[in-house]
Amino acid sequence: MHVSTRAALLAATLVWATSASAQTYTLEEAVRTAVANSPQGEATAARLDGLNAARNAADTNPAPTIDGTVENIGTPGFSQWQIDGTYNQRLERGGKRAARVGLAQGDIAVAEAEALVRRLDLASEVQALYVEAQAAALSLELARSRVEIAETLANEVQRRVDEARDPLFAGTRARTQLAEARVDLGLAEHAFEAALARLALLTGGDPGSIGVVTSGFLEAEEIASISADLTPVDLAVFQARRERADANYRLQEANSRTDPTVFAGPRLFGNGDVAVIAGFSLPLPNRALNRANIDRAAAEQRQVEADLAVERFQRRRQIALAAERVEEARHEAEAIQEQVVPGAEQTLREVRAGYNRGGFTFLDVSIAQTALHEARVRFVDALAEYHQAKVDYDRLTGRFIELVGGY
């Protein structure tokens, strides 16, 4: 096993050990916890409560009215007055009530689908922060390894200076490099703590008592072939919008039919007589307005279909680009691990052995040490790029759909 790989696995062990008495999250656990702690659930529930109330309101008949009139009050005398009282009820035709309920149900379906998409977006955000914390943990271990190498080299150089085999400036330079390594270690520790703090903002945990698992970070696997189309959750949004547009079209068709109003009630005369009156009224249709509303609803239907086609076109392109980024980063990480890091490790071993025999200078050792550290850092950076590209790819392909309560 390469030194860089061993250091990364050691980082995972350290993270587990420092978090053994607290809460250590796997990626899936972090996503599940973040979704559970997010206020999105309350916001969605409130929105659905309002939409359900609107649906209940839509599932009601028109309210009746009571009219009262007084007529024929004047001179000569007041014996000709009439008092009418009527009960009026509008009768809906054309299935307006069912169409209203269908439109309200469509709003509910859209809200539920959009809530699933928001949870999937939250999972993607958590994954990005988790990858950031993993990369920071491995960078921290590389910084520790660099300090250890610098300390060993500083001791070797000081021994040679004491034996008058190297000039004094060699010892000074070795101590300076050690100081630089320790400064970088402090920065790496801060970066790791900051990454955990950002992750804790979503998981709701204490930044000082959570940890991440870094062992999976070393696995740069080839992505499986997957259909470059919308995920079931994203597709559900457009399906819900399509059903709502269809319901709105049916409602506009129903509204094109006029509704009669029937009425009945007593009539009281000034001379004491009583009669019953009844009748109906039927408004005249506004054909131009009705046609315009139907045309607008039909245009909304076409717009939903067009939006779906556009989204599918863009999604295919985005998935292809994300997959390309993943594969590019994977190839880079593998090439560095298999070709660059082993050569840098062998070079440092050979230069240090030659330095101890007096065949190389301290500058040669310093250059070899720096080259090894840079190779390891580049390896971790390539892995970080791979996993960050996987964040986009996983969101586009719906990796956490079931985890966030989707389809």
Side-chain angles (χ1 to χ4, degrees):
M1 182 182 296
H2 300 317
V3 174
S4 57
T5 304
R6 185 170 63 252
L9 292 176
L10 179 58
T13 304
L14 290 173
V15 172
W16 275 98
T18 55
S19 305
S21 60
Q23 178 66 49
T24 301
Y25 293 110
T26 63
L27 174 57
E28 289 73 16
E29 291 170 344
V31 170
R32 190 181 297 109
T33 303
V35 170
N37 292 335
S38 172
Q40 288 183 4
E42 296 180 2
T44 300
R47 182 184 180 188
L48 291 177
D49 287 344
L51 292 175
N52 279 307
R55 182 194 180 283
N56 294 335
D59 193 18
T60 58
N61 289 319
T65 62
I66 297 178
D67 294 339
T69 59
V70 179
E71 302 177 0
N72 299 332
I73 298 178
T75 58
F78 295 92
S79 61
Q80 299 301 314
W81 57 262
Q82 298 178 9
I83 299 177
D84 296 341
T86 58
Y87 179 89
N88 308 273
Q89 177 64 59
R90 181 163 59 92
L91 304 178
E92 289 188 321
R93 299 191 304 163
K96 292 184 178 64
R97 180 176 177 179
R100 286 196 309 272
V101 172
L103 182 60
Q105 192 63 46
D107 289 333
I108 294 174
V110 170
E112 291 175 340
E114 290 177 345
L116 288 176
V117 170
R118 285 193 296 272
R119 291 201 294 271
L120 204 59
D121 290 339
L122 176 60
S124 181
E125 185 177 357
V126 173
Q127 184 183 5
L129 293 177
Y130 195 92
V131 168
E132 182 182 356
Q134 287 179 311
L138 297 183
S139 296
L140 173 59
E141 184 56 32
L142 291 182
R144 289 171 177 164
S145 176
R146 182 187 178 191
V147 170
E148 294 175 357
I149 294 176
E151 288 176 343
T152 302
L153 182 58
N155 292 333
E156 292 177 358
V157 172
Q158 188 60 46
R159 177 178 56 80
R160 290 175 62 89
V161 170
D162 293 341
E163 296 174 354
R165 298 170 62 188
D166 279 344
L168 291 176
F169 76 85
T172 303
R173 186 169 183 177
R175 289 191 296 271
T176 301
Q177 287 187 344
L178 176 58
E180 291 177 349
R182 287 172 175 169
V183 169
D184 290 342
L185 175 59
L187 295 175
E189 290 174 345
H190 176 74
F192 179 56
E193 293 172 358
L196 290 181
R198 287 188 288 271
L199 180 62
L201 291 176
L202 294 182
T203 60
D206 181 8
S209 61
I210 67 172
V212 294
V213 180
T214 58
S215 56
F217 193 85
L218 300 171
E219 301 172 2
E221 299 178 351
E222 184 176 359
I223 58 176
S225 176
I226 191 168
S227 175
D229 204 346
L230 295 178
T231 67
V233 169
D234 294 306
L235 185 60
V237 174
F238 289 93
Q239 290 175 339
R241 291 174 181 171
R242 176 192 296 162
E243 292 173 1
R244 185 196 180 282
D246 293 342
N248 184 47
Y249 184 84
R250 290 191 295 269
L251 177 60
Q252 298 307 322
E253 283 189 324
N255 286 338
S256 65
R257 299 193 61 182
T258 57
D259 299 330
T261 299
V262 297
F263 61 90
R267 171 171 290 178
L268 304 179
F269 295 92
N271 60 8
D273 292 339
V274 179
V276 175
I277 59 174
F280 74 95
S281 65
L282 181 64
L284 297 177
N286 188 335
R287 300 186 185 280
L289 178 61
N290 293 335
R291 186 70 260 169
N293 289 334
I294 292 176
D295 290 343
R296 183 178 64 180
E300 291 178 356
Q301 288 178 313
R302 294 194 301 272
Q303 181 181 354
V304 171
E305 294 295 337
D307 289 342
L308 176 57
V310 170
E311 186 68 19
R312 277 178 168 159
F313 173 79
Q314 293 180 343
R315 182 58 58 90
R316 293 188 184 100
R317 180 175 58 85
Q318 291 171 349
I319 291 178
L321 291 176
E324 182 179 344
R325 283 184 55 207
V326 170
E327 284 302 295
E328 182 180 355
R330 185 180 68 85
H331 286 305
E332 180 182 2
E334 289 182 351
I336 295 172
Q337 183 184 26
E338 296 174 0
Q339 303 175 27
V340 179
V341 173
E345 292 173 350
Q346 180 66 22
T347 299
L348 179 59
R349 286 193 298 268
E350 292 175 351
V351 170
R352 288 182 63 179
Y355 175 74
N356 291 332
R357 294 193 302 268
F360 294 100
T361 66
F362 168 75
L363 180 60
D364 296 324
V365 179
S366 177
I367 292 174
Q369 176 184 339
T370 301
L372 175 58
H373 178 72
E374 290 178 350
R376 292 175 176 175
V377 170
R378 186 181 176 187
F379 173 61
V380 173
D381 288 343
L383 287 175
E385 177 63 24
Y386 167 83
H387 288 286
Q388 287 294 347
K390 277 276 289 173
V391 172
D392 295 335
Y393 182 81
D394 289 344
R395 170 60 186 92
L396 292 170
T397 56
R399 172 183 175 184
F400 297 108
I401 286 178
E402 296 182 0
L403 192 64
V404 301
Y407 296 83

